[in-house]
Amino acid sequence: MPTVHDWINNPLGIVDGLFAQSNSCPDWEKKVVEYFKEKLKLNDAHTWVPSLNDVPLHYLKPNSLVKFRCMVQDMFDPEFFMGVYEMNDPTSNSKQVKCGKYKDITEGGQVDFNSRSTVTSERQTFYCVPIPGESQWVKESFAGTSQARVVPSTSYVPNRHKRSYEEDDEMDTQPQQMKDGSQGAQSSAESHGNIEPKRQETEAPSHDSFPSHCTSSLDLNFPLPGEKGPACLVKVYEDWDSFKLNDMLEVFGILSVDPALSVIADEREASSLLDPTEGMETVEEQRVHSPPASLVPRLHMLYAQPLVHNNPLLPSSVLENNGDYLSSVLGELASIRAELLTYLTHVLLGDSLAAEYLILHLISNVYSRRDVLPLGKFTLNLSGCPHSSPFTEHLYKVIQQLVPSSYRLCMSLHNMNNQRMVPRKDYTANRLVSGTLQLANNTSLFLDETQLEQGQLDATGVRNITALGNLISWQKVDYDFNYHQMEFSCNINVLITSEGRSLLPSDCQVHLWPTLNPPNLEEYLSAVQVAQVPSQLNKYRIYLSVARALNYTISDEITKAVEEDFVEMRKDDPQSMSAEDLHRLLDVARLLSLSHGQNTLSRDGWMKAKQLEALRISQTPQQKCVNGNEP
């Protein structure tokens, strides 16, 4: 029987063992998946598996079991491979039937392409990237819980960087010859000019330019500019229709980084690949779909866990089969909420009302869709933010410390006119070129409108503003497929900071009224942030994730009371309460209840929501023509 670590260090041994029994066990492929699923369920076995997210590639043993926390950025066309093939062994002059599943390269001897034993199978390839905008505390927490034992390989000389993906940039200042060894397969791949300078290829492009097609240089197609980390070609063997673009996954699979893949990508020695259709691709497609394995490793999926969230402090499914966990957390929600309110009030310069609404925004979530209307979204426009001050930058840092994934988009005229926000299809390379708005669900998008200066939006700027408006109003992004647009639903929390009312739509505007005026704003905000110890921040992180995951209902009795109240409010002045105002009030009541750990609306909760909204409206200044969009 395999020892405890054989299934991690040598998973192909398990696969080959079960394949050998295929004559007596026709469903051996199902048994392979079941075997690894069962192993990963035992105790904390998943923490023993090394992760591509936090372990440098050269520490990982080729053909070992690894995991990757990622987002599906693109889906390539299905490919054919030899699931079963026959080898001629010249030494023993014998033939052997081999399993080609979970492999890229045939091994040992010469393939007999005319053998009747050959079975052609199909698999799907997903291009996966680390979850865009994932916070540093998330990465550190996941890495800290890992129990994987990995050491640099001495017998294997891979063609790759020998450093962590998150390492400082100082390594990039070293001469290229020092970073790239000249041993074994490494030199053969490099000598063919297959690999561009590494700095260019291991970071996201700036998205500040629009080449006619993206084949002039190999970039890793990260959605957000400046991101680092591994990209991965994930080979999927079953149920690939159950996965969607932009899904968050934790993939467990067999790592394939054979240097021969890099040589073949350049020389197109298709006969040694398990994919007989490889030669049908164009040069551009080959470059994108078969990048050097040193830059984009292959991961043959055994099992993938869809991620509802990427908060490492919570169970993967907060509401399912976690009754004990939920009951222990729910009892503390009210007290944690009070502490978080105090913290955010200090951050918002003493404005407790703005802090209340910021909490409601942070726990908002699209819980359902009625026709095209996304229910549960709560885009907040925090107006009254000072221009040309570090306030919005520090506010974003606070949010970044609280949520698992976020991105701050400075809405300068240059960014609006130059940044690629909407993903588009590149038909030359047959891939989806990513953009800033290709984000995983539950990402916090911080739009800093205080950076917007006087000037003219060009055609690109107008398209970007339109895309942001559609994201806010309909929680969707229309990807550009040249001849048509394809709609992709999303669930992204949008916070807009502005001086006056935002030029973008929002569900709720709260004007900032500071009661504190520190002599040095930057020092004050830094001190407020530093004062929060990690254990306290972890409480806030758990609180926000749990509150947004709770189910919510309204009883028939409360529904009737709300309807009567609505009629009463309109009796004296029908203009005082529109259907839109009622919808916002119901949203506030829902979020207010959930923020206190209550999953149903009470009469008291309804009254509090009305008071909160009345106070907000009374403190929102009558709009003057600040930035030209007010009526």
Side-chain angles (χ1 to χ4, degrees):
M1 288 296 290
T3 61
V4 69
H5 281 298
D6 276 359
W7 59 278
I8 293 178
N9 293 327
N10 185 25
L12 286 176
I14 309 294
V15 174
D16 289 339
L18 289 165
F19 171 73
Q21 304 167 19
S22 57
N23 288 333
S24 58
C25 181
D27 61 345
W28 69 274
E29 292 172 285
K30 203 175 285 184
K31 286 193 176 298
V32 167
V33 176
E34 286 171 2
Y35 176 90
F36 286 98
K37 274 188 183 178
E38 288 304 314
K39 284 291 183 187
L40 290 165
K41 280 180 188 172
L42 294 173
N43 300 323
D44 290 325
H46 62 94
T47 64
W48 306 345
V49 180
S51 172
L52 278 170
N53 297 89
D54 47 61
V55 179
L57 206 48
H58 74 284
Y59 276 58
L60 299 172
K61 183 184 173 188
N63 299 321
S64 64
L65 184 69
V66 299
K67 62 186 177 185
F68 185 34
R69 190 175 63 260
C70 59
M71 183 189 82
V72 180
Q73 188 274 322
D74 197 0
M75 294 176 163
F76 296 159
D77 296 331
E79 64 184 23
F80 295 101
F81 70 100
M82 285 187 288
V84 178
Y85 59 96
E86 193 169 63
M87 302 292 296
N88 294 319
D89 189 346
T91 54
S92 62
N93 199 23
S94 63
K95 293 191 174 186
Q96 272 187 307
V97 176
K98 297 252 189 179
C99 171
K101 201 172 182 182
Y102 307 118
K103 299 171 189 171
D104 288 296
I105 308 291
T106 59
E107 45 189 36
Q110 182 67 38
V111 178
D112 181 359
F113 288 103
N114 298 317
S115 169
R116 291 186 176 183
S117 301
T118 302
V119 176
T120 302
S121 304
E122 192 179 22
R123 63 189 176 197
Q124 176 68 285
T125 303
F126 295 163
Y127 188 84
C128 295
V129 296
I131 295 169
E134 192 170 68
S135 301
Q136 192 59 33
W137 66 266
V138 173
K139 295 175 182 176
E140 289 171 1
S141 185
F142 273 118
T145 57
S146 174
Q147 298 182 59
R149 302 185 186 281
V150 287
V151 291
S153 172
T154 53
S155 59
Y156 177 68
V157 184
N159 177 18
R160 62 179 60 89
H161 294 294
K162 297 206 168 186
R163 66 186 182 103
S164 163
Y165 291 108
E166 295 302 321
E167 207 166 316
D168 292 336
D169 287 345
E170 60 192 33
M171 287 289 288
D172 287 297
T173 63
Q174 297 180 17
Q176 193 71 23
Q177 294 88 340
M178 290 176 65
K179 290 193 288 177
D180 304 335
S182 58
Q183 301 160 309
Q186 190 166 8
S187 58
S188 65
E190 301 246 309
S191 65
H192 288 88
N194 193 42
I195 300 176
E196 305 267 331
K198 301 293 192 288
R199 170 78 177 185
Q200 179 181 341
E201 296 184 341
T202 55
E203 293 188 18
S206 66
H207 288 188
D208 286 349
S209 60
F210 291 84
S212 58
H213 58 79
C214 289
T215 55
S216 57
S217 65
L218 177 67
D219 68 68
L220 296 184
N221 213 12
F222 295 131
L224 300 179
E227 292 229 309
K228 293 183 181 180
C232 205
L233 287 176
V234 176
K235 308 284 185 176
V236 187
Y237 291 87
E238 58 178 26
D239 298 331
W240 54 71
D241 290 339
S242 63
F243 300 101
K244 302 190 303 296
L245 203 66
N246 306 331
D247 275 358
M248 282 193 298
L249 304 173
E250 184 162 47
V251 178
F252 293 86
I254 298 173
L255 179 67
S256 174
V257 287
D258 197 304
L261 286 169
S262 301
V263 179
I264 293 161
D266 186 55
E267 294 184 345
R268 312 316 305 161
E269 295 176 359
S271 60
S272 61
L273 278 176
L274 290 172
D275 181 3
T277 63
E278 195 72 30
M280 295 167 62
E281 294 180 335
T282 63
V283 174
E284 290 86 354
E285 256 186 288
Q286 287 169 6
R287 182 164 170 77
V288 167
H289 290 214
S290 303
S294 56
L295 289 173
V296 184
R298 279 60 165 168
L299 191 58
H300 294 267
M301 182 193 289
L302 288 161
Y303 169 65
Q305 168 79 36
L307 297 178
V308 180
H309 64 81
N310 59 321
N311 187 336
L313 307 174
L314 271 70
S316 54
S317 299
V318 184
L319 297 177
E320 293 172 21
N321 306 318
N322 284 299
D324 294 341
Y325 175 81
L326 260 185
S327 56
S328 66
V329 173
L330 285 175
E332 296 181 21
L333 285 192
S335 61
I336 297 172
R337 184 195 194 281
E339 293 165 7
L340 178 59
L341 183 63
T342 301
Y343 172 45
L344 293 178
T345 300
H346 286 307
V347 170
L348 295 169
L349 306 175
D351 190 337
S352 59
L353 181 68
E356 282 276 4
Y357 275 90
L358 184 55
I359 289 176
L360 303 190
H361 162 75
L362 290 173
I363 66 168
S364 63
N365 181 41
V366 177
Y367 62 86
S368 180
R369 289 181 185 267
R370 187 173 297 153
D371 296 324
V372 296
L373 190 66
L375 304 178
K377 74 183 181 73
F378 195 68
T379 298
L380 183 65
N381 173 207
L382 185 64
S383 59
C385 295
H387 178 62
S388 305
S389 89
F391 176 74
T392 53
E393 187 180 339
H394 279 270
L395 177 59
Y396 172 66
K397 284 178 181 174
V398 167
I399 290 171
Q400 200 176 26
Q401 277 199 323
L402 296 175
V403 301
S405 304
S406 61
Y407 178 62
R408 176 180 176 229
L409 176 58
C410 295
M411 292 178 63
S412 66
L413 202 62
H414 178 268
N415 278 351
M416 289 297 99
N417 286 341
N418 291 279
Q419 200 162 42
R420 187 176 67 239
M421 293 190 191
V422 175
R424 64 177 182 82
K425 182 74 174 182
D426 177 356
Y427 287 96
T428 311
N430 192 19
R431 74 158 172 180
L432 183 67
V433 180
S434 194
T436 308
L437 298 185
Q438 188 175 10
L439 300 170
N441 282 346
N442 304 325
T443 302
S444 287
L445 181 60
F446 187 104
L447 301 179
D448 193 349
E449 210 175 282
T450 64
Q451 307 292 311
L452 192 58
E453 62 274 87
Q454 291 285 336
Q456 186 72 37
L457 286 172
D458 62 17
T460 300
V462 171
R463 277 198 302 272
N464 283 336
I465 291 290
T466 302
L468 289 171
N470 286 336
L471 168 65
I472 291 165
S473 299
W474 311 110
Q475 285 291 308
K476 65 160 190 169
V477 180
D478 294 323
Y479 290 15
D480 181 6
F481 279 71
N482 291 13
Y483 311 106
H484 66 283
Q485 290 187 322
M486 193 173 290
E487 182 180 303
F488 286 87
S489 297
C490 54
N491 185 359
I492 294 168
N493 275 16
V494 184
L495 174 65
I496 311 164
T497 54
S498 59
E499 286 183 273
R501 182 176 175 177
S502 171
L503 60 88
L504 291 166
S506 66
D507 297 305
C508 183
Q509 181 197 354
V510 176
H511 197 80
L512 186 67
W513 294 103
T515 59
L516 302 173
N517 187 21
N520 187 318
L521 183 61
E522 193 155 8
E523 270 183 25
Y524 166 78
L525 291 170
S526 296
V528 168
Q529 215 172 331
V530 170
Q532 297 299 309
V533 294
S535 59
Q536 192 65 31
L537 285 171
N538 281 345
K539 281 185 181 180
Y540 300 155
R541 292 159 179 165
I542 291 170
Y543 164 81
L544 292 173
S545 291
V546 169
R548 73 182 319 209
L550 291 175
N551 291 319
Y552 175 80
T553 55
I554 303 182
S555 67
D556 292 341
E557 181 191 351
I558 296 295
T559 302
K560 188 178 178 185
V562 167
E563 287 171 353
E564 290 170 354
D565 211 359
F566 178 58
V567 171
E568 190 65 32
M569 285 186 284
R570 285 176 58 86
K571 190 180 288 181
D572 297 331
D573 181 9
Q575 303 299 318
S576 64
M577 177 66 65
S578 65
E580 188 180 335
D581 294 331
L582 177 64
H583 180 73
R584 181 173 52 249
L585 190 51
L586 285 166
D587 274 345
V588 170
R590 171 181 169 273
L591 293 168
L592 200 57
S593 300
L594 293 174
S595 73
H596 285 92
Q598 299 159 3
N599 56 10
T600 188
L601 181 61
S602 63
R603 284 181 180 273
D604 188 41
W606 174 247
M607 293 307 294
K608 282 182 181 174
K610 284 173 60 179
Q611 290 166 7
L612 204 62
E613 270 293 272
L615 185 58
R616 179 190 69 82
I617 291 166
S618 71
Q619 292 191 8
T620 303
Q622 292 298 310
Q623 294 304 316
K624 296 174 184 176
C625 191
V626 175
N627 46 20
N629 67 309
E630 293 83 0

